[in-house]
Amino acid sequence: EVQLVESGGGLVQPGGSLRLSCAAAGFTFSSYVMTWVRQAPGKGLEWVSGVNSGGEPTSYTDSVKGRFTISRDNAKNTLYLQMSSLKPEDTAVYYCAQDSTGWHTLDYWGQGTQVTVSS
């Protein structure tokens, strides 16, 4: 059974940094594109970034370009999102998700981790 468990969220001041992690199990992690998706309070889901099986980022949503870095460690079955220069509008629940096709077919999601950016 696919399991995705996010961690690393918390409260941070504007301009600060956080690194999110997603521990994966139940599938061949190294074979899949992995993604981060977020949901801000009162807003819909927003795709943030994806990384291919070899560790190359596929893209970033415009609002995080230059500030966030997606990466993965296939030996540890772990996905990461390094977030820097955080803004209040980055406040959201962040989810990792498996992309089963490489075309944003996000069938499996973690429970999410809360990131709050506030002074």
Side-chain angles (χ1 to χ4, degrees), residues 19-110:
R19 188 175 78 158
L20 307 183
S21 298
C22 173
F27 65 102
T28 305
F29 177 76
S30 61
S31 296
Y32 289 87
V33 171
M34 296 297 296
T35 70
W36 288 98
V37 182
R38 67 185 182 183
Q39 186 167 32
K43 304 293 181 65
L45 293 167
E46 179 186 27
W47 180 88
V48 176
S49 186
V51 59
N52 70 19
S53 61
E56 180 183 20
T58 60
S59 190
Y60 297 92
T61 194
D62 286 344
S63 63
V64 310
K65 287 180 179 177
R67 301 187 298 117
F68 289 13
T69 302
I70 190 170
S71 63
R72 67 195 296 161
D73 187 337
N74 286 337
K76 296 181 178 180
N77 283 5
T78 303
L79 174 72
Y80 302 99
L81 186 68
Q82 178 66 50
M83 306 185 295
S84 300
S85 301
L86 284 161
K87 304 175 180 180
E89 51 263 45
D90 295 318
T91 295
V93 177
Y94 284 72
Y95 301 92
C96 67
Q98 180 213 68
D99 188 339
S100 63
T101 67
W103 291 85
H104 290 195
T105 306
L106 310 181
D107 293 328
Y108 296 99
W109 299 62

